[in-house]
Amino acid sequence: LDKLPGRQEVFATGKAGTVYLCHPFLVHSAQPHRGNTPKFMAQPPLLLRNELTITDSDAGYAPVEEAIRLALGLY
């Protein structure tokens, strides 16, 4: 990771129940818990209806497939 270019660090915070849907290539982590009440975090899988396809789909692409294609320069 030390060889990767530096990027701006951004913090995303919200009220209880806030959900963030993030790009699959996003590097992320939780900050240390400094409070005195329980903190819960989850990273549930987002399952596709069909097999992941990023090249030559006649049926179109799911949003996560489009994000991957954009990141790979396939558009």
Side-chain angles (χ1 to χ4, degrees), residues 15 31 45-47:
K15 298 184 289 188
Q31 290 74 32
L46 297 175
L47 304 174

Side-chain angles (χ1 to χ4, degrees), residues 21-46:
L21 180 60
C22 300
H23 190 282
F25 297 162
L26 178 71
V27 177
H28 61 283
S29 67
Q31 290 74 32
H33 179 53
R34 294 189 174 94
N36 54 13
T37 58
K39 175 180 177 182
F40 296 94
M41 296 196 68
Q43 188 172 344
L46 297 175

Side-chain angles (χ1 to χ4, degrees), residues 40-59:
F40 296 94
M41 296 196 68
Q43 188 172 344
L46 297 175
L47 304 174
L48 298 173
R49 290 182 184 177
N50 300 312
E51 192 171 321
L52 182 68
T53 303
I54 60 170
T55 58
D56 302 326
S57 173
D58 293 332

